[in-house]
Amino acid sequence: MVRNPYRRYEVTEYQKEALKFLQPPEDITVSEWADKYRVLDAKTSAMPGPWRTEHTPYLKGIMDEFNNYETEEIVYVKPTQVGGTECLQNMVGYIVQQDPAPTMIVYPTDTLAKSISENRLQPMFKAAPELRKRFDENSQLQELQFDGMYLTLAGSNSPSSLASKAIRFLFLDEVDGYPGDADGEGDPVALAVQRAATFVNRKVYLCSTPTLKGFSRIEAAYLESDQRVFEVPCDHCGAHSQIQWRDIKWPTGKMADAAWHCPDCDGIHPEYRKPALLANGRWVAKAKADGKTVGFHL
């Protein structure tokens, strides 16, 4: 029998679903993914609704470094309340939807890991439709299951959880809060990093607010990186500089009038100029590294 080459065949719903798994991931960066799919929930955000990277433009370079195949380790030295946790969660959301693989997040303690799972991560997965349909809501508190992957949440004080699984993506949050030794088993950072050793395309992300100079894990990691700083352009002379505390000045007795003074020309930038300065800022490397370790200092 000769088949008619022009005959149209009906595609079943089963075949449509099967074809979805054969499609390549979208060609987008972490920040583009977040702008397209991330939804901030009312439980954890002061500004619930769609994520907008433009509100925290300095995070774009950090998030998108995750998409650089040459980069193996990302180090982020940060102050408090500047979106560091959201940056990490956007990377995790991107993994779940775009590149599923075994993933681990390490927090200073098991108690904190459980709290963040319940109060920050799971609300994030449930708020974004594309993440919600991939998330198994019957997951255990510290091992969240998704289509094609799992996410383990561990405490740095629990050596058994740090050494039990091979993982491709490792996130180490607030590393300066980790103990020097994980219950007699050694450095918790070293124990966790060993879990990713078998993956040639691994990514390790360390972030923390630094503590004591000379004893800080995040400082030591940053010094081994290309040491990027975020510089903004002066409104007056155009020179790019870091915003540093030494350049924040105000008239005697008038702290409400505090402003950033350009270290090159002493041009004054009132508080209301800050969003525009940040929007036009850029990350600049100040050192050479091994080509695999990228560091950000904000």
Side-chain angles (χ1 to χ4, degrees), residues 151-165:
L151 170 61
T152 297
L153 309 177
S156 64
N157 59 338
S158 176
S160 61
S161 63
L162 297 177
S164 59
K165 300 178 179 69

Side-chain angles (χ1 to χ4, degrees), residues 227-248:
Q227 300 179 30
R228 300 182 187 187
V229 297
F230 193 73
E231 297 183 345
V232 299
C234 172
D235 285 340
H236 307 277
C237 70
H240 281 75
S241 308
Q242 255 188 305
I243 296 178
Q244 300 194 73
W245 177 246
R246 67 189 182 204
D247 299 317
I248 305 296

Side-chain angles (χ1 to χ4, degrees), residues 170-242:
L170 173 64
F171 296 88
L172 304 166
D173 195 19
E174 292 298 345
V175 293
D176 274 15
Y178 293 6
D181 184 88
D183 199 22
E185 297 293 328
D187 178 23
V189 173
L191 289 173
V193 170
Q194 289 175 11
R195 297 307 92 212
T198 58
F199 288 89
V200 296
N201 55 349
R202 60 186 170 271
K203 284 281 192 296
V204 179
Y205 173 85
L206 301 87
C207 72
S208 186
T209 301
T211 51
L212 296 177
K213 186 174 181 61
F215 296 90
S216 166
R217 274 196 177 95
I218 199 68
E219 177 194 39
Y222 178 73
L223 291 176
E224 294 181 358
S225 74
D226 61 359
Q227 300 179 30
R228 300 182 187 187
V229 297
F230 193 73
E231 297 183 345
V232 299
C234 172
D235 285 340
H236 307 277
C237 70
H240 281 75
S241 308
Q242 255 188 305

Side-chain angles (χ1 to χ4, degrees), residues 89-153:
Q89 292 183 191
N90 284 341
M91 293 179 185
V92 172
Y94 174 91
I95 292 168
V96 170
Q97 186 177 338
Q98 301 293 331
D99 196 9
T103 301
M104 175 185 284
I105 308 176
V106 181
Y107 298 99
T109 66
D110 264 327
T111 300
L112 182 59
K114 292 175 182 177
S115 175
I116 290 179
S117 174
E118 184 174 9
N119 296 304
R120 300 205 68 163
L121 286 171
Q122 293 192 55
M124 178 189 79
F125 297 134
K126 295 174 183 178
E130 288 298 323
L131 297 180
R132 184 171 62 245
K133 68 184 184 182
R134 292 168 169 79
F135 174 50
D136 182 354
E137 295 193 27
N138 295 316
S139 300
Q140 297 180 16
L141 199 59
Q142 286 185 256
E143 187 164 299
L144 306 180
Q145 300 291 333
F146 302 86
D147 292 345
M149 64 168 284
Y150 59 82
L151 170 61
T152 297
L153 309 177

Side-chain angles (χ1 to χ4, degrees), residues 227-280:
Q227 300 179 30
R228 300 182 187 187
V229 297
F230 193 73
E231 297 183 345
V232 299
C234 172
D235 285 340
H236 307 277
C237 70
H240 281 75
S241 308
Q242 255 188 305
I243 296 178
Q244 300 194 73
W245 177 246
R246 67 189 182 204
D247 299 317
I248 305 296
K249 304 173 185 178
W250 57 89
T252 302
K254 296 182 178 181
M255 290 185 67
D257 295 332
W260 176 61
H261 289 237
C262 171
D264 285 272
C265 72
D266 203 38
I268 298 175
H269 303 76
E271 172 71 16
Y272 73 84
R273 289 294 302 152
K274 183 178 176 182
L277 293 176
L278 295 178
N280 290 287

